[in-house]
Amino acid sequence: MEGLEIHSHTRSYSAEHKLQAIQDYQSGEYSQYEIIDKYKIASRTQLSDWVKKYNGHSSLKAYKGLQSFRLR
C-alpha cells in the first residue's frame, strides 16, 4: 500500500540509547511521543517497559552483545 512502511526486522537499542531516552522521559521536558520519535523507539509500550525496568533497579541490557548498565 502506498504511504505505509513495512518493517520486517527487529530494532536493536544499546543500553546507552535506552538510558538517554529514560533520562529525557524523567526530565519532563519531552512527551512520550517526542521521545519515541527522537530515539526511534518502536512504541510507547517499549519506552514504558524500559522505564519500569529502570525504576525497578533492573539492568538495561543491550541487544547484540553490547554493553549493559546495572542500575541502583
Side-chain angles (χ1 to χ4, degrees), residues 17-34:
H17 188 87
K18 294 176 184 180
L19 189 58
Q20 289 172 344
I22 291 166
Q23 289 171 339
D24 275 357
Y25 173 77
Q26 291 186 328
S27 76
E29 292 183 45
Y30 304 95
S31 71
Q32 287 182 340
Y33 293 106
E34 290 171 323

mmCIF file with all atom_site columns, all heavy atoms in Angstrom, residues 17-34:
data_model
loop_
_atom_site.group_PDB
_atom_site.id
_atom_site.type_symbol
_atom_site.label_atom_id
_atom_site.label_alt_id
_atom_site.label_comp_id
_atom_site.label_asym_id
_atom_site.label_entity_id
_atom_site.label_seq_id
_atom_site.pdbx_PDB_ins_code
_atom_site.Cartn_x
_atom_site.Cartn_y
_atom_site.Cartn_z
_atom_site.occupancy
_atom_site.B_iso_or_equiv
_atom_site.pdbx_formal_charge
_atom_site.auth_seq_id
_atom_site.auth_comp_id
_atom_site.auth_asym_id
_atom_site.auth_atom_id
_atom_site.pdbx_PDB_model_num
ATOM 1   N N   . HIS A 1 17 ? 21.525 4.106  24.654 1.00 0.00 ? 17 HIS A N   1
ATOM 2   C CA  . HIS A 1 17 ? 20.367 4.672  23.956 1.00 0.00 ? 17 HIS A CA  1
ATOM 3   C C   . HIS A 1 17 ? 19.135 4.621  24.858 1.00 0.00 ? 17 HIS A C   1
ATOM 4   O O   . HIS A 1 17 ? 18.397 5.605  24.983 1.00 0.00 ? 17 HIS A O   1
ATOM 5   C CB  . HIS A 1 17 ? 20.139 3.862  22.673 1.00 0.00 ? 17 HIS A CB  1
ATOM 6   C CG  . HIS A 1 17 ? 19.111 4.416  21.755 1.00 0.00 ? 17 HIS A CG  1
ATOM 7   N ND1 . HIS A 1 17 ? 19.401 5.363  20.808 1.00 0.00 ? 17 HIS A ND1 1
ATOM 8   C CD2 . HIS A 1 17 ? 17.785 4.153  21.626 1.00 0.00 ? 17 HIS A CD2 1
ATOM 9   C CE1 . HIS A 1 17 ? 18.304 5.653  20.138 1.00 0.00 ? 17 HIS A CE1 1
ATOM 10  N NE2 . HIS A 1 17 ? 17.305 4.932  20.615 1.00 0.00 ? 17 HIS A NE2 1
ATOM 11  N N   . LYS A 1 18 ? 18.922 3.478  25.491 1.00 0.00 ? 18 LYS A N   1
ATOM 12  C CA  . LYS A 1 18 ? 17.784 3.314  26.395 1.00 0.00 ? 18 LYS A CA  1
ATOM 13  C C   . LYS A 1 18 ? 17.877 4.288  27.562 1.00 0.00 ? 18 LYS A C   1
ATOM 14  O O   . LYS A 1 18 ? 16.893 4.933  27.925 1.00 0.00 ? 18 LYS A O   1
ATOM 15  C CB  . LYS A 1 18 ? 17.728 1.890  26.935 1.00 0.00 ? 18 LYS A CB  1
ATOM 16  C CG  . LYS A 1 18 ? 17.429 0.850  25.884 1.00 0.00 ? 18 LYS A CG  1
ATOM 17  C CD  . LYS A 1 18 ? 17.497 -0.536 26.486 1.00 0.00 ? 18 LYS A CD  1
ATOM 18  C CE  . LYS A 1 18 ? 17.308 -1.607 25.455 1.00 0.00 ? 18 LYS A CE  1
ATOM 19  N NZ  . LYS A 1 18 ? 17.364 -2.953 26.039 1.00 0.00 ? 18 LYS A NZ  1
ATOM 20  N N   . LEU A 1 19 ? 19.068 4.390  28.141 1.00 0.00 ? 19 LEU A N   1
ATOM 21  C CA  . LEU A 1 19 ? 19.250 5.264  29.295 1.00 0.00 ? 19 LEU A CA  1
ATOM 22  C C   . LEU A 1 19 ? 19.008 6.725  28.935 1.00 0.00 ? 19 LEU A C   1
ATOM 23  O O   . LEU A 1 19 ? 18.375 7.464  29.688 1.00 0.00 ? 19 LEU A O   1
ATOM 24  C CB  . LEU A 1 19 ? 20.645 5.075  29.883 1.00 0.00 ? 19 LEU A CB  1
ATOM 25  C CG  . LEU A 1 19 ? 20.918 5.762  31.217 1.00 0.00 ? 19 LEU A CG  1
ATOM 26  C CD1 . LEU A 1 19 ? 19.938 5.298  32.286 1.00 0.00 ? 19 LEU A CD1 1
ATOM 27  C CD2 . LEU A 1 19 ? 22.345 5.504  31.661 1.00 0.00 ? 19 LEU A CD2 1
ATOM 28  N N   . GLN A 1 20 ? 19.463 7.153  27.764 1.00 0.00 ? 20 GLN A N   1
ATOM 29  C CA  . GLN A 1 20 ? 19.227 8.528  27.326 1.00 0.00 ? 20 GLN A CA  1
ATOM 30  C C   . GLN A 1 20 ? 17.730 8.801  27.164 1.00 0.00 ? 20 GLN A C   1
ATOM 31  O O   . GLN A 1 20 ? 17.231 9.856  27.575 1.00 0.00 ? 20 GLN A O   1
ATOM 32  C CB  . GLN A 1 20 ? 19.951 8.803  26.005 1.00 0.00 ? 20 GLN A CB  1
ATOM 33  C CG  . GLN A 1 20 ? 21.447 8.877  26.152 1.00 0.00 ? 20 GLN A CG  1
ATOM 34  C CD  . GLN A 1 20 ? 22.149 8.959  24.805 1.00 0.00 ? 20 GLN A CD  1
ATOM 35  O OE1 . GLN A 1 20 ? 21.573 8.674  23.761 1.00 0.00 ? 20 GLN A OE1 1
ATOM 36  N NE2 . GLN A 1 20 ? 23.419 9.339  24.832 1.00 0.00 ? 20 GLN A NE2 1
ATOM 37  N N   . ALA A 1 21 ? 17.018 7.852  26.586 1.00 0.00 ? 21 ALA A N   1
ATOM 38  C CA  . ALA A 1 21 ? 15.573 8.012  26.399 1.00 0.00 ? 21 ALA A CA  1
ATOM 39  C C   . ALA A 1 21 ? 14.865 8.089  27.756 1.00 0.00 ? 21 ALA A C   1
ATOM 40  O O   . ALA A 1 21 ? 13.980 8.933  27.954 1.00 0.00 ? 21 ALA A O   1
ATOM 41  C CB  . ALA A 1 21 ? 15.013 6.859  25.567 1.00 0.00 ? 21 ALA A CB  1
ATOM 42  N N   . ILE A 1 22 ? 15.261 7.243  28.689 1.00 0.00 ? 22 ILE A N   1
ATOM 43  C CA  . ILE A 1 22 ? 14.660 7.247  30.029 1.00 0.00 ? 22 ILE A CA  1
ATOM 44  C C   . ILE A 1 22 ? 14.936 8.568  30.735 1.00 0.00 ? 22 ILE A C   1
ATOM 45  O O   . ILE A 1 22 ? 14.040 9.161  31.351 1.00 0.00 ? 22 ILE A O   1
ATOM 46  C CB  . ILE A 1 22 ? 15.194 6.068  30.864 1.00 0.00 ? 22 ILE A CB  1
ATOM 47  C CG1 . ILE A 1 22 ? 14.676 4.748  30.309 1.00 0.00 ? 22 ILE A CG1 1
ATOM 48  C CG2 . ILE A 1 22 ? 14.814 6.224  32.336 1.00 0.00 ? 22 ILE A CG2 1
ATOM 49  C CD1 . ILE A 1 22 ? 15.395 3.528  30.843 1.00 0.00 ? 22 ILE A CD1 1
ATOM 50  N N   . GLN A 1 23 ? 16.152 9.054  30.634 1.00 0.00 ? 23 GLN A N   1
ATOM 51  C CA  . GLN A 1 23 ? 16.501 10.316 31.287 1.00 0.00 ? 23 GLN A CA  1
ATOM 52  C C   . GLN A 1 23 ? 15.699 11.476 30.698 1.00 0.00 ? 23 GLN A C   1
ATOM 53  O O   . GLN A 1 23 ? 15.243 12.351 31.431 1.00 0.00 ? 23 GLN A O   1
ATOM 54  C CB  . GLN A 1 23 ? 18.001 10.569 31.191 1.00 0.00 ? 23 GLN A CB  1
ATOM 55  C CG  . GLN A 1 23 ? 18.795 9.637  32.072 1.00 0.00 ? 23 GLN A CG  1
ATOM 56  C CD  . GLN A 1 23 ? 20.293 9.719  31.846 1.00 0.00 ? 23 GLN A CD  1
ATOM 57  O OE1 . GLN A 1 23 ? 20.765 10.170 30.802 1.00 0.00 ? 23 GLN A OE1 1
ATOM 58  N NE2 . GLN A 1 23 ? 21.050 9.268  32.831 1.00 0.00 ? 23 GLN A NE2 1
ATOM 59  N N   . ASP A 1 24 ? 15.514 11.490 29.390 1.00 0.00 ? 24 ASP A N   1
ATOM 60  C CA  . ASP A 1 24 ? 14.681 12.526 28.767 1.00 0.00 ? 24 ASP A CA  1
ATOM 61  C C   . ASP A 1 24 ? 13.238 12.414 29.250 1.00 0.00 ? 24 ASP A C   1
ATOM 62  O O   . ASP A 1 24 ? 12.589 13.419 29.530 1.00 0.00 ? 24 ASP A O   1
ATOM 63  C CB  . ASP A 1 24 ? 14.724 12.420 27.241 1.00 0.00 ? 24 ASP A CB  1
ATOM 64  C CG  . ASP A 1 24 ? 15.898 13.151 26.635 1.00 0.00 ? 24 ASP A CG  1
ATOM 65  O OD1 . ASP A 1 24 ? 16.666 13.794 27.383 1.00 0.00 ? 24 ASP A OD1 1
ATOM 66  O OD2 . ASP A 1 24 ? 16.046 13.082 25.404 1.00 0.00 ? 24 ASP A OD2 1
ATOM 67  N N   . TYR A 1 25 ? 12.740 11.197 29.358 1.00 0.00 ? 25 TYR A N   1
ATOM 68  C CA  . TYR A 1 25 ? 11.378 10.982 29.828 1.00 0.00 ? 25 TYR A CA  1
ATOM 69  C C   . TYR A 1 25 ? 11.215 11.496 31.259 1.00 0.00 ? 25 TYR A C   1
ATOM 70  O O   . TYR A 1 25 ? 10.273 12.208 31.568 1.00 0.00 ? 25 TYR A O   1
ATOM 71  C CB  . TYR A 1 25 ? 11.031 9.493  29.760 1.00 0.00 ? 25 TYR A CB  1
ATOM 72  C CG  . TYR A 1 25 ? 9.703  9.156  30.370 1.00 0.00 ? 25 TYR A CG  1
ATOM 73  C CD1 . TYR A 1 25 ? 8.521  9.430  29.688 1.00 0.00 ? 25 TYR A CD1 1
ATOM 74  C CD2 . TYR A 1 25 ? 9.617  8.568  31.620 1.00 0.00 ? 25 TYR A CD2 1
ATOM 75  C CE1 . TYR A 1 25 ? 7.292  9.132  30.249 1.00 0.00 ? 25 TYR A CE1 1
ATOM 76  C CE2 . TYR A 1 25 ? 8.398  8.266  32.192 1.00 0.00 ? 25 TYR A CE2 1
ATOM 77  C CZ  . TYR A 1 25 ? 7.244  8.547  31.500 1.00 0.00 ? 25 TYR A CZ  1
ATOM 78  O OH  . TYR A 1 25 ? 6.029  8.259  32.067 1.00 0.00 ? 25 TYR A OH  1
ATOM 79  N N   . GLN A 1 26 ? 12.161 11.166 32.109 1.00 0.00 ? 26 GLN A N   1
ATOM 80  C CA  . GLN A 1 26 ? 12.063 11.548 33.511 1.00 0.00 ? 26 GLN A CA  1
ATOM 81  C C   . GLN A 1 26 ? 12.315 13.037 33.739 1.00 0.00 ? 26 GLN A C   1
ATOM 82  O O   . GLN A 1 26 ? 11.894 13.581 34.754 1.00 0.00 ? 26 GLN A O   1
ATOM 83  C CB  . GLN A 1 26 ? 13.001 10.698 34.363 1.00 0.00 ? 26 GLN A CB  1
ATOM 84  C CG  . GLN A 1 26 ? 12.534 9.253  34.426 1.00 0.00 ? 26 GLN A CG  1
ATOM 85  C CD  . GLN A 1 26 ? 13.339 8.401  35.356 1.00 0.00 ? 26 GLN A CD  1
ATOM 86  O OE1 . GLN A 1 26 ? 14.529 8.608  35.537 1.00 0.00 ? 26 GLN A OE1 1
ATOM 87  N NE2 . GLN A 1 26 ? 12.687 7.408  35.938 1.00 0.00 ? 26 GLN A NE2 1
ATOM 88  N N   . SER A 1 27 ? 12.962 13.684 32.794 1.00 0.00 ? 27 SER A N   1
ATOM 89  C CA  . SER A 1 27 ? 13.205 15.124 32.931 1.00 0.00 ? 27 SER A CA  1
ATOM 90  C C   . SER A 1 27 ? 11.907 15.929 32.806 1.00 0.00 ? 27 SER A C   1
ATOM 91  O O   . SER A 1 27 ? 11.821 17.050 33.290 1.00 0.00 ? 27 SER A O   1
ATOM 92  C CB  . SER A 1 27 ? 14.198 15.608 31.873 1.00 0.00 ? 27 SER A CB  1
ATOM 93  O OG  . SER A 1 27 ? 13.579 15.704 30.594 1.00 0.00 ? 27 SER A OG  1
ATOM 94  N N   . GLY A 1 28 ? 10.931 15.340 32.116 1.00 0.00 ? 28 GLY A N   1
ATOM 95  C CA  . GLY A 1 28 ? 9.663  16.031 31.920 1.00 0.00 ? 28 GLY A CA  1
ATOM 96  C C   . GLY A 1 28 ? 9.682  17.050 30.789 1.00 0.00 ? 28 GLY A C   1
ATOM 97  O O   . GLY A 1 28 ? 8.690  17.720 30.527 1.00 0.00 ? 28 GLY A O   1
ATOM 98  N N   . GLU A 1 29 ? 10.816 17.171 30.103 1.00 0.00 ? 29 GLU A N   1
ATOM 99  C CA  . GLU A 1 29 ? 10.934 18.141 29.016 1.00 0.00 ? 29 GLU A CA  1
ATOM 100 C C   . GLU A 1 29 ? 10.258 17.687 27.724 1.00 0.00 ? 29 GLU A C   1
ATOM 101 O O   . GLU A 1 29 ? 9.943  18.514 26.870 1.00 0.00 ? 29 GLU A O   1
ATOM 102 C CB  . GLU A 1 29 ? 12.413 18.416 28.722 1.00 0.00 ? 29 GLU A CB  1
ATOM 103 C CG  . GLU A 1 29 ? 13.126 19.151 29.833 1.00 0.00 ? 29 GLU A CG  1
ATOM 104 C CD  . GLU A 1 29 ? 14.564 19.455 29.460 1.00 0.00 ? 29 GLU A CD  1
ATOM 105 O OE1 . GLU A 1 29 ? 14.809 19.901 28.321 1.00 0.00 ? 29 GLU A OE1 1
ATOM 106 O OE2 . GLU A 1 29 ? 15.439 19.224 30.318 1.00 0.00 ? 29 GLU A OE2 1
ATOM 107 N N   . TYR A 1 30 ? 10.068 16.382 27.581 1.00 0.00 ? 30 TYR A N   1
ATOM 108 C CA  . TYR A 1 30 ? 9.531  15.835 26.339 1.00 0.00 ? 30 TYR A CA  1
ATOM 109 C C   . TYR A 1 30 ? 8.326  14.947 26.637 1.00 0.00 ? 30 TYR A C   1
ATOM 110 O O   . TYR A 1 30 ? 8.272  14.283 27.665 1.00 0.00 ? 30 TYR A O   1
ATOM 111 C CB  . TYR A 1 30 ? 10.575 14.973 25.616 1.00 0.00 ? 30 TYR A CB  1
ATOM 112 C CG  . TYR A 1 30 ? 11.866 15.688 25.316 1.00 0.00 ? 30 TYR A CG  1
ATOM 113 C CD1 . TYR A 1 30 ? 12.949 15.595 26.181 1.00 0.00 ? 30 TYR A CD1 1
ATOM 114 C CD2 . TYR A 1 30 ? 11.994 16.457 24.164 1.00 0.00 ? 30 TYR A CD2 1
ATOM 115 C CE1 . TYR A 1 30 ? 14.144 16.257 25.904 1.00 0.00 ? 30 TYR A CE1 1
ATOM 116 C CE2 . TYR A 1 30 ? 13.180 17.114 23.882 1.00 0.00 ? 30 TYR A CE2 1
ATOM 117 C CZ  . TYR A 1 30 ? 14.255 17.008 24.753 1.00 0.00 ? 30 TYR A CZ  1
ATOM 118 O OH  . TYR A 1 30 ? 15.410 17.658 24.470 1.00 0.00 ? 30 TYR A OH  1
ATOM 119 N N   . SER A 1 31 ? 7.400  14.896 25.706 1.00 0.00 ? 31 SER A N   1
ATOM 120 C CA  . SER A 1 31 ? 6.283  13.961 25.815 1.00 0.00 ? 31 SER A CA  1
ATOM 121 C C   . SER A 1 31 ? 6.776  12.570 25.404 1.00 0.00 ? 31 SER A C   1
ATOM 122 O O   . SER A 1 31 ? 7.842  12.438 24.784 1.00 0.00 ? 31 SER A O   1
ATOM 123 C CB  . SER A 1 31 ? 5.141  14.383 24.902 1.00 0.00 ? 31 SER A CB  1
ATOM 124 O OG  . SER A 1 31 ? 5.474  14.163 23.539 1.00 0.00 ? 31 SER A OG  1
ATOM 125 N N   . GLN A 1 32 ? 5.997  11.553 25.718 1.00 0.00 ? 32 GLN A N   1
ATOM 126 C CA  . GLN A 1 32 ? 6.359  10.199 25.287 1.00 0.00 ? 32 GLN A CA  1
ATOM 127 C C   . GLN A 1 32 ? 6.481  10.134 23.767 1.00 0.00 ? 32 GLN A C   1
ATOM 128 O O   . GLN A 1 32 ? 7.384  9.494  23.241 1.00 0.00 ? 32 GLN A O   1
ATOM 129 C CB  . GLN A 1 32 ? 5.318  9.187  25.752 1.00 0.00 ? 32 GLN A CB  1
ATOM 130 C CG  . GLN A 1 32 ? 5.370  8.895  27.221 1.00 0.00 ? 32 GLN A CG  1
ATOM 131 C CD  . GLN A 1 32 ? 4.350  7.843  27.620 1.00 0.00 ? 32 GLN A CD  1
ATOM 132 O OE1 . GLN A 1 32 ? 3.372  7.601  26.910 1.00 0.00 ? 32 GLN A OE1 1
ATOM 133 N NE2 . GLN A 1 32 ? 4.574  7.229  28.756 1.00 0.00 ? 32 GLN A NE2 1
ATOM 134 N N   . TYR A 1 33 ? 5.589  10.806 23.072 1.00 0.00 ? 33 TYR A N   1
ATOM 135 C CA  . TYR A 1 33 ? 5.625  10.788 21.611 1.00 0.00 ? 33 TYR A CA  1
ATOM 136 C C   . TYR A 1 33 ? 6.886  11.452 21.066 1.00 0.00 ? 33 TYR A C   1
ATOM 137 O O   . TYR A 1 33 ? 7.468  10.991 20.086 1.00 0.00 ? 33 TYR A O   1
ATOM 138 C CB  . TYR A 1 33 ? 4.380  11.455 21.027 1.00 0.00 ? 33 TYR A CB  1
ATOM 139 C CG  . TYR A 1 33 ? 3.122  10.671 21.309 1.00 0.00 ? 33 TYR A CG  1
ATOM 140 C CD1 . TYR A 1 33 ? 2.205  11.117 22.248 1.00 0.00 ? 33 TYR A CD1 1
ATOM 141 C CD2 . TYR A 1 33 ? 2.863  9.475  20.655 1.00 0.00 ? 33 TYR A CD2 1
ATOM 142 C CE1 . TYR A 1 33 ? 1.053  10.395 22.514 1.00 0.00 ? 33 TYR A CE1 1
ATOM 143 C CE2 . TYR A 1 33 ? 1.722  8.742  20.907 1.00 0.00 ? 33 TYR A CE2 1
ATOM 144 C CZ  . TYR A 1 33 ? 0.821  9.202  21.846 1.00 0.00 ? 33 TYR A CZ  1
ATOM 145 O OH  . TYR A 1 33 ? -0.314 8.482  22.109 1.00 0.00 ? 33 TYR A OH  1
ATOM 146 N N   . GLU A 1 34 ? 7.308  12.540 21.700 1.00 0.00 ? 34 GLU A N   1
ATOM 147 C CA  . GLU A 1 34 ? 8.537  13.212 21.267 1.00 0.00 ? 34 GLU A CA  1
ATOM 148 C C   . GLU A 1 34 ? 9.747  12.311 21.499 1.00 0.00 ? 34 GLU A C   1
ATOM 149 O O   . GLU A 1 34 ? 10.666 12.265 20.670 1.00 0.00 ? 34 GLU A O   1
ATOM 150 C CB  . GLU A 1 34 ? 8.717  14.525 22.019 1.00 0.00 ? 34 GLU A CB  1
ATOM 151 C CG  . GLU A 1 34 ? 7.714  15.591 21.609 1.00 0.00 ? 34 GLU A CG  1
ATOM 152 C CD  . GLU A 1 34 ? 7.740  16.815 22.497 1.00 0.00 ? 34 GLU A CD  1
ATOM 153 O OE1 . GLU A 1 34 ? 7.935  16.685 23.733 1.00 0.00 ? 34 GLU A OE1 1
ATOM 154 O OE2 . GLU A 1 34 ? 7.561  17.924 21.959 1.00 0.00 ? 34 GLU A OE2 1
#
